[in-house]
Amino acid sequence: MPDTMADVVLRSEARLARSLTGYPFTGALDAQQESEILERIAPLCEGGRFALLPLAALSSQRKALLIEERLLPIKPAQNERESMAIALDRENSAAVMINGEEHLCFHAVRSGLRLQEAMDCVLTEERLFARDLMFAFDRQFGYLNGAFADVGTGLRLTAALHLPYLEKAKRAEVELKALQGHVVSAKM
């Protein structure tokens, strides 16, 4: 994204999906397998870097705040299976969703145009977990996950733009043309 857009980017987000070897993809897991995954991941959250919070124990206000901060996806937040949890880093700037959309989803959010910083954060968090876990990987297809969009790198980067500002500044057409040729998905 061109540097000229830094003044209209509200936030930058990175999401990294990983599935563990030896387990079916999310959606095909039974309750015992989900519990096993949580039991394997829980010790990795100890030691002060993360606070592990079972989703079923979170108040609706806390869930709403995490959704607003973009650290908790809406769909998993509406589910209260005992084996679902979120591991929050101590600065509340990154999270790991456990047994949500995938076995693990690493999330980082930054204000403004800071995609590299958000991506570096999720990659660092993923490396911490990768020391003790084996992620499903195929030499041809990359990382394997239950959702087709998460196969390959498993990485999604998002920049939320303030489009009315672009239009007001008479820059919308120019900036949107600059994005042509890039993989861009627009959601309104």
Side-chain angles (χ1 to χ4, degrees):
M1 188 174 305
D3 288 339
T4 58
M5 294 189 73
D7 56 343
V8 296
V9 177
L10 301 173
R11 70 180 171 273
S12 299
E13 301 176 35
R15 177 188 173 278
L16 186 67
R18 293 289 183 260
S19 290
L20 301 179
T21 59
Y23 293 95
F25 294 126
T26 301
L29 292 168
D30 61 32
Q32 175 63 31
Q33 291 167 322
E34 283 186 342
S35 293
E36 285 175 20
I37 289 173
L38 183 58
E39 287 172 16
R40 288 184 63 191
I41 293 168
L44 305 178
C45 297
E46 295 171 358
R49 184 164 184 129
F50 296 98
L52 185 63
L53 308 170
L55 248 49
L58 294 179
S59 69
S60 57
Q61 289 111 344
R62 181 68 191 257
K63 285 181 187 177
L65 180 62
L66 290 170
I67 290 169
E68 186 176 316
E69 292 173 343
R70 310 288 295 175
L71 293 173
L72 178 62
I74 293 171
K75 191 173 180 181
Q78 295 170 339
N79 195 321
E80 296 197 357
R81 294 189 320 269
E82 290 296 318
S83 58
M84 292 180 77
I86 186 166
L88 291 175
D89 76 348
R90 295 299 176 189
E91 292 90 40
N92 281 346
S93 62
V96 183
M97 182 71 215
I98 303 159
N99 288 325
E101 297 164 324
E102 300 292 353
H103 297 160
L104 293 167
C105 284
F106 301 85
H107 297 267
V109 180
R110 300 293 184 266
S111 61
L113 183 59
R114 295 165 45 201
L115 284 169
Q116 184 68 50
E117 188 179 321
M119 183 178 73
D120 290 345
C121 179
V122 295
L123 291 172
T124 298
E125 304 297 344
E126 185 256 2
R127 280 191 292 275
L128 290 172
F129 283 77
R131 288 187 235 166
D132 296 295
L133 302 170
M134 291 291 297
F135 298 126
F137 185 82
D138 179 87
R139 290 179 64 137
Q140 181 179 359
F141 298 110
Y143 288 97
L144 304 175
N145 290 294
F148 183 72
D150 291 333
V151 173
T153 65
L155 179 67
R156 292 185 203 172
L157 299 174
T158 304
L161 306 178
H162 189 265
L163 295 179
Y165 177 83
L166 277 179
E167 188 59 37
K168 184 178 178 183
K170 308 287 188 227
R171 292 175 34 199
E173 190 173 331
V174 171
E175 298 293 358
L176 292 174
K177 279 185 182 179
L179 291 173
Q180 287 179 341
H182 299 278
V183 178
V184 175
S185 172
K187 292 182 183 176
M188 302 289 186

